[in-house]
Amino acid sequence: MRRSRLRHLGLAGLLVFGSLTAVGTLPASAADSPTDSAGAPAASAGLLDAMQRDFGLTRAEAEDRLAAEHRATALAPTARRAAGDAFGGSWFDAARGRLTVAVTADAPPATVRAVEATGVHVRTVEHSARRLDAAKARIDRLDAPAGVSSWHVDPTANTVVVDVVASERTDNDVQQFVSRARETGPVTVRTVGSAPQTFAAGTVGGDPYYTGNVRCSIGFSVHGGFVTAGHCGGVGGAVRGWDGSHIGTFQGSSFPGNDYAWVSVGSGWWTVPVVLGWGTVSDQLVRGSNEAPVGASICRSGSTTHWHCGTVLAKNETVNYSQGAVHQMTKTSVCAEGGDSGGSFISGDQAQGVTSGGWGNCSGGGETWFQPVNEILNRYGLTLHTA
């Protein structure tokens, strides 16, 4: 009975979170080597429907955007190598339908020509990515008060952006943190509506997984189990499925500092490379885990709010939760709510990461962060299950 029910739910037992991106495992070297963009696979009807709904696109526009993002993802590593020390960051420009690569103003003409020859659009900037990353790393060593939401390198603005909660901007501790942050290098301060929080939830009905009194969502299938968010459970914690039966045990978990975990699977449960559509869109096969650039479209599936889409806003962002800071996160404009924690983020057919937390909700909007999936695989030596 459990097996037939699981199959009917599109893997709700193993991809309970609606693993919007069940991903195929890639070793570290493969994760850094995008597949050939010439053979971009056709997108599922469900993914196209979600993009039309959340981006206001026609079907043809959604198909064109996915194809352009696939090409941009494939070009990014080559263009970065061509830029060398002059590299200032990169992002997908939806208006141009191309990858934009920033190079510093002092780059030799030959370097600029080499970057342009890769097929990307080139923008000249003042600061290198190395300088901005170094400034962010110095900010990471500061003790952030609760009124500071997060900080990240913004390649489009060529600066480090520090987000503070609007109601706390005049707080003395926040002002002191901002002052010290500005000493590290180019820093811009912005305000956000509220502080970030994780998206775990108390036990409620539906098709989640449970550990203790917490409900979360499964991220991606790996051989032997699945990956999810670290704040959902600690090492040794037992995990139950939608029907209350035992799925497995947390074998690794890290939070704060990181927000990732993996759970072994047994007791009649199994893994498959599928992300649930929850009856809203078609189930999605995942074929890899090439990292999408800033500006690319991305979709999320979770056991509470199911499928929603948005845009990659920032990478390598440090998020200041009440439990402590979490590093190397990716920020998106996708909404999420309690119980979506651990669930999958996907761009096209490429897995991106597992849901960590954010602010706002799917009624009024907000922002959500995810822990990149390739980092989780490398940390635990896991192999993703791909189609």
Side-chain angles (χ1 to χ4, degrees):
M1 178 66 178
R2 183 181 307 143
R3 291 180 182 273
S4 62
R5 167 69 169 164
L6 180 60
R7 185 178 302 278
H8 174 69
L9 289 173
L11 322 175
L14 214 224
L15 294 175
V16 148
F17 162 68
S19 171
L20 178 67
T21 43
V23 171
T25 251
L26 296 178
S29 58
D32 293 336
S33 303
T35 55
D36 184 357
S37 63
S44 71
L47 179 58
L48 293 172
D49 288 344
M51 291 187 67
Q52 290 177 75
R53 178 196 66 199
D54 292 339
F55 285 97
L57 303 175
T58 65
R59 189 178 188 85
E61 289 170 339
E63 290 174 335
D64 288 346
R65 175 158 181 167
L66 287 172
E69 291 175 351
H70 187 89
R71 292 191 295 270
T73 298
L75 286 174
T78 302
R80 177 167 188 158
R81 287 192 294 269
D85 291 341
F87 180 70
S90 65
W91 60 94
F92 178 75
D93 187 332
R96 294 177 182 270
R98 297 172 63 187
L99 184 73
T100 294
V101 174
V103 297
T104 55
D106 59 358
T111 297
V112 176
R113 289 194 296 270
V115 177
E116 290 175 333
T118 66
V120 304
H121 174 69
V122 175
R123 178 189 291 181
T124 301
V125 296
E126 181 180 358
H127 309 295
S128 69
R130 180 177 298 176
R131 181 183 180 190
L132 296 176
D133 288 342
K136 180 192 174 288
R138 287 191 287 272
I139 298 174
D140 282 343
R141 293 193 285 271
L142 302 179
D143 185 16
V148 176
S149 173
S150 62
W151 51 96
H152 69 276
V153 172
D154 183 350
T156 64
N158 198 227
T159 186
V160 179
V161 173
V162 176
D163 287 333
V164 301
V165 179
S167 61
E168 301 294 325
R169 184 160 188 173
T170 59
D171 177 79
N172 288 336
D173 291 338
V174 170
Q175 290 184 333
Q176 183 178 21
F177 179 90
V178 168
S179 178
R180 296 182 65 189
R182 292 188 189 279
E183 295 173 358
T184 68
V187 167
T188 300
V189 178
R190 299 189 308 202
T191 57
V192 295
S194 58
Q197 58 183 347
T198 56
F199 285 129
T203 300
V204 297
D207 291 312
Y209 79 85
Y210 302 90
T211 176
N213 65 344
V214 172
R215 173 170 66 86
C216 282
S217 300
I218 290 172
F220 310 116
S221 290
V222 298
H223 292 287
F226 64 83
V227 295
T228 186
H231 70 263
C232 291
V235 174
V239 174
R240 307 185 309 280
W242 58 268
D243 62 353
S245 66
H246 180 74
I247 292 179
T249 305
F250 277 90
Q251 299 296 318
S253 180
S254 179
F255 179 81
N258 306 293
D259 194 6
Y260 50 59
W262 84 279
V263 175
S264 61
V265 166
S267 304
W269 298 80
W270 66 96
T271 68
V272 288
V274 175
V275 175
L276 288 182
W278 297 99
T280 301
V281 299
S282 302
D283 292 348
Q284 177 74 40
L285 290 175
V286 179
R287 294 182 171 88
S289 58
N290 293 328
E291 186 178 328
V294 169
S297 65
I298 194 166
C299 296
R300 182 194 58 72
S301 177
S303 61
T304 299
T305 59
H306 303 167
W307 279 69
H308 287 276
C309 297
T311 304
V312 178
L313 299 177
K315 296 185 180 183
N316 192 25
E317 180 153 21
T318 299
V319 183
N320 189 34
Y321 293 126
S322 61
Q323 300 93 328
V326 176
H327 306 286
Q328 296 179 314
M329 303 284 274
T330 298
K331 180 163 68 176
T332 76
S333 63
V334 187
C335 68
E337 296 180 12
D340 286 328
S341 278
S344 317
F345 270 88
I346 189 169
S347 182
D349 62 1
Q350 300 294 305
Q352 299 298 307
V354 300
T355 302
S356 173
W359 62 270
N361 55 51
C362 289
S363 298
E367 295 176 338
T368 301
W369 288 272
F370 67 79
Q371 182 87 61
V373 68
N374 287 328
E375 180 183 356
I376 309 173
L377 302 180
N378 293 337
R379 169 63 179 83
Y380 295 120
L382 299 170
T383 299
L384 283 160
H385 194 166
T386 50

